[in-house]
Amino acid sequence: MAFSDLIPWSRERNRAPARREADENPMVSLQRDLNRVFEDFWARFDSPFGDNLAAGPRTNISETDEAMLVSVDLPGLDDKDIEVNVTDDMLTIRGEREEKSNEGDFTSQSRRSFHRMIPVPPGVDPEKAEAEFKRGVLTVTLPKTEEAKSRVKRIDVKSE
């Protein structure tokens, strides 16, 4: 097979290769559309509590030997704007921010809210849960039960 057999020549064999427009090729069009979908999706995560709340506020979940820790960035909110609930298997955090502006005779009002549900692993004691809101960051501490703490077994990692 010759290299020239791989080039998409036009009907006349002696002419230059036929060019395709990007829109003519369905694979190029599909790739462009998929790129746009992912760019639009990830763009929602750039703002922690800004114009697009569809993604919700930035949340960090970590676990220590003693507790599960959840930190949520909530700039612009007050503690009275936040509701935190915990059950045996779910931590629910809700918040709402109301914005009002007055310009002459015109008054504008908007509300932005979020609702975040985080699964709680077995071994967490919801009765001892605590929440603290400081400098725009909500920190929820969910202590582990004594039974859950005692079941933890450390495994030494050895190097060769």
Side-chain angles (χ1 to χ4, degrees):
M1 176 184 275
F3 180 73
S4 61
D5 293 336
L6 299 174
I7 300 173
W9 296 96
S10 64
R11 292 186 195 270
E12 294 180 35
R13 192 78 169 140
N14 297 330
R15 293 178 101 191
R19 291 183 164 248
R20 289 185 175 175
E21 295 296 320
D23 293 335
E24 290 180 26
N25 186 337
M27 294 305 289
V28 172
S29 179
L30 175 64
Q31 181 67 47
R32 185 181 57 244
D33 292 344
L34 285 173
N35 286 344
R36 187 176 307 125
V37 166
F38 281 102
E39 288 169 4
D40 292 346
F41 175 78
W42 289 113
R44 294 187 299 174
F45 292 97
D46 290 341
S47 173
F49 198 68
D51 296 333
N52 191 345
L53 297 179
R58 292 187 184 186
T59 305
N60 183 30
I61 302 169
S62 60
E63 187 175 359
T64 67
D65 291 340
E66 302 296 318
M68 176 181 167
L69 304 171
V70 179
S71 297
V72 184
D73 291 343
L74 302 172
L77 289 182
D78 294 325
D79 55 354
K80 64 180 176 10
D81 299 329
I82 304 166
E83 178 184 334
V84 180
N85 297 311
V86 65
T87 62
D88 290 335
D89 62 346
M90 194 67 61
L91 172 67
T92 306
I93 302 171
R94 291 184 178 95
E96 182 175 83
R97 178 172 67 187
E98 186 175 329
E99 296 177 356
K100 292 181 182 180
S101 65
N102 294 322
E103 294 182 20
D105 294 336
F106 181 73
T107 301
S108 154
Q109 180 177 355
S110 66
R111 288 189 176 159
R112 299 176 186 203
S113 61
F114 72 92
H115 178 205
R116 181 77 192 251
M117 297 179 72
I118 301 167
V120 174
V124 169
D125 188 356
E127 296 297 321
K128 295 181 181 176
E130 296 178 353
E132 178 184 30
F133 187 66
K134 188 176 185 181
R135 293 185 169 179
V137 179
L138 173 69
T139 304
V140 180
T141 304
L142 301 163
K144 292 182 180 178
T145 62
E146 292 301 321
E147 179 185 345
K149 291 179 197 176
S150 66
R151 286 187 291 179
V152 175
K153 179 185 176 193
R154 294 260 182 218
I155 299 172
D156 293 330
V157 178
K158 298 177 185 176
S159 62
E160 293 182 39

